[in-house]
Amino acid sequence: MALLKALVIGMGVLIVAGTVTLVALIVQRAGGDSGTMPPRALGQPAGTRIVSVAGAEGRLAVLVARPDGSERVLLVDGRSGRVVGELRAAE
């Protein structure tokens, strides 16, 4: 009888420990990334200045002023930090 009692208590502890571990893993994986963008270069010439930044549907619109006096809007992907598009006035 004592052996059966010890087995039941041991299995109960294992069930509780397994449940706690499972919940901890689900919470950890559901947390996802912290939302920070990795540091990236925009691939613009030296002397380029960032004038402004605005969010647009999961992307960032970055207005840059280049050393030659032209301005461009770079569309940067919010997850990868890659430049996915560029808008500029007709040259």
Side-chain angles (χ1 to χ4, degrees):
M1 190 62 131
L3 179 62
L4 182 60
K5 192 175 188 180
L7 285 173
V8 169
I9 290 172
M11 285 188 275
V13 169
L14 287 174
I15 289 172
V16 170
T19 303
V20 169
T21 303
L22 182 63
V23 169
L25 286 172
I26 290 172
V27 168
Q28 181 183 8
R29 290 184 182 173
D33 60 3
S34 62
T36 59
M37 185 184 302
R40 294 282 179 138
L42 295 177
Q44 298 298 302
T48 300
R49 295 179 308 109
I50 296 176
V51 178
S52 67
V53 179
E57 296 184 16
R59 294 186 175 156
L60 295 174
V62 181
L63 176 62
V64 296
R66 298 181 66 163
D68 62 2
S70 65
E71 290 185 338
R72 297 172 186 220
V73 176
L74 304 175
L75 298 175
V76 180
D77 182 57
R79 290 188 181 263
S80 68
R82 281 187 320 114
V83 176
V84 294
E86 183 176 314
L87 302 171
R88 55 186 153 173
E91 295 178 3

